Amino acid sequence: MGIHESRIEFVYLFDVRNGNPNGDPDAGNMPRIDPETGHGLVTDVSLKRKIRNYVQLTQEGRPGYEIYVREKAILNDQHARAYEANGIELDKGKGKAKGEADARKVAQWMCDTFFDVRTFGAVMTTGVNCGQVRGPVQLTFAESLHPIVPAELSVTRMAVTTQAEADKQSGDNRTMGRKHIVPYGLYRAHGFLSPHLARQTGFSDTDLELFLKALENMFEQDRSAARGEMAARKLIVFRHRSALGEAPAQKLFKLVTARLNDGVTAPRDFDRDFTVAIDRAGLPDGVEIEERL
């Protein structure tokens, strides 16, 4: 069945080794952590950024696959394009289209043009108003399956920024810094795809396949020293027979379990230290499961 007729949920597991998967700028860029449980967190915004980057990299120049929220973008300039493309005059006093039909046209143009708008939705009411779009795809925060212990390491740069710093060090020219890492963390996120909202934005089966491929491959195209080694480990997709669905999402998520193996207190390796199981016998009628990774 197509995305417009079938509700979808998924479970996504990824890990990090000796890296910072999602620093908190309000905490000196320390890895995000739940203060009560000690479990690591990665925001949905961080995951969406990587999906956007993958789509931009692989679909560059393809009509309908531009990225709205991209580096150095000026959002109001993108909104103005929607008015120009449809030959619609902007009501400058109100900053929006004069009629409801024209307002729908500019919002639809944004969905048709930008992959991330028709996927995740967007609030496009800044200055030049293109309305609000509810996206069919939603992601939760990712949470580590075990407590993490972030490490703060000292690093040295064999250079200084200014001549004054060099003179102060008598030519030694060293700059000390700090680096935050998670020695190891296995994270789990959940996702939801609404067929009703997919119809409204024009999100298609082709878009769905691209989205899932992004989840499978986005870390391979997003390497940096700060993030260490990050890898997608499991992507398990539940597809319902109907648009309303045959079972609550939380019931399906409980069918996927990931646990530490006996005797492991400090996990460092996904294949050695964890067991992931899927209770296929408990799958409700009318729900199919696809293990993508």
Side-chain angles (χ1 to χ4, degrees):
M1 280 192 176
I3 180 58
H4 295 170
E5 294 80 35
S6 177
R7 204 184 87 198
I8 289 175
E9 285 92 34
F10 61 85
V11 175
Y12 185 52
L13 298 177
F14 64 91
D15 63 0
V16 59
R17 180 193 298 275
N18 295 329
N20 186 351
N22 185 205
D24 185 350
D26 290 330
N29 208 44
M30 284 282 289
R32 297 177 191 269
I33 194 168
D34 182 327
E36 293 186 326
T37 66
H39 289 213
L41 299 173
V42 173
T43 67
D44 61 315
V45 174
S46 175
L47 296 175
K48 288 176 181 177
R49 176 74 273 147
K50 291 172 174 55
I51 293 167
R52 287 182 168 103
N53 289 347
Y54 177 86
V55 172
Q56 186 173 358
L57 178 67
T58 60
Q59 307 297 314
E60 187 173 7
R62 183 181 173 190
Y65 288 86
E66 293 186 45
I67 295 299
Y68 173 65
V69 181
R70 67 175 191 270
E71 187 177 3
K72 299 180 180 179
I74 300 173
L75 301 183
N76 277 348
D77 288 353
Q78 306 287 41
H79 300 176
R81 289 175 57 197
Y83 283 84
E84 293 168 5
N86 287 281
I88 295 172
E89 183 179 351
L90 177 68
D91 185 338
K92 294 183 179 179
K94 297 182 179 180
K96 61 182 182 180
K98 294 180 179 179
E100 189 162 329
D102 285 345
R104 286 196 297 268
K105 284 181 182 179
V106 294
Q108 190 59 56
W109 187 89
M110 296 295 290
C111 290
D112 294 342
T113 303
F114 297 103
F115 174 83
D116 52 339
V117 173
R118 67 175 176 273
T119 303
F120 304 126
V123 178
M124 304 174 290
T125 56
T126 55
V128 180
N129 193 329
C130 283
Q132 299 183 37
V133 173
R134 286 187 63 195
V137 179
Q138 300 300 328
L139 295 167
T140 66
F141 276 31
E143 181 179 359
S144 68
L145 303 180
H146 52 92
I148 62 170
V149 183
E152 186 176 10
L153 310 175
S154 297
V155 294
T156 305
R157 183 177 69 180
M158 303 300 294
V160 293
T161 305
T162 67
Q163 184 62 47
E165 289 179 279
D167 294 342
K168 187 176 180 179
Q169 295 186 35
S170 301
D172 193 31
N173 288 18
R174 293 174 183 265
T175 303
M176 301 300 294
R178 313 292 289 177
K179 188 171 186 177
H180 305 290
I181 66 165
V182 175
Y184 183 83
L186 177 63
Y187 291 76
R188 174 171 175 158
H190 295 160
F192 312 85
L193 287 86
S194 164
H196 309 288
L197 295 176
R199 283 193 217 104
Q200 293 178 22
T201 69
F203 186 82
S204 67
D205 288 283
T206 300
D207 294 331
L208 172 61
E209 183 61 25
L210 177 58
F211 172 77
L212 295 175
K213 282 189 176 297
L215 290 176
E216 293 171 9
N217 298 296
M218 63 189 187
F219 296 122
E220 303 301 325
Q221 312 302 328
D222 192 54
R223 301 297 183 189
S224 79
R227 282 187 281 277
E229 292 182 73
M230 296 186 70
R233 293 298 186 175
K234 290 289 182 183
L235 177 56
I236 300 162
V237 180
F238 297 96
R239 186 184 289 267
H240 297 253
R241 181 169 52 202
S242 69
L244 291 177
E246 274 61 49
Q250 295 306 317
K251 182 176 181 179
L252 300 179
F253 293 150
K254 287 180 180 179
L255 299 178
V256 180
T257 57
R259 62 173 181 82
L260 279 170
N261 292 332
D262 292 342
V264 177
T265 57
R268 291 294 186 271
D269 183 88
F270 175 76
D271 295 316
R272 181 192 65 204
D273 297 335
F274 291 89
T275 296
V276 178
I278 304 172
D279 180 10
R280 295 179 183 272
L283 197 65
D285 290 340
V287 180
E288 296 179 353
I289 192 168
E290 178 186 7
E291 193 171 354
R292 302 266 309 195
L293 286 173

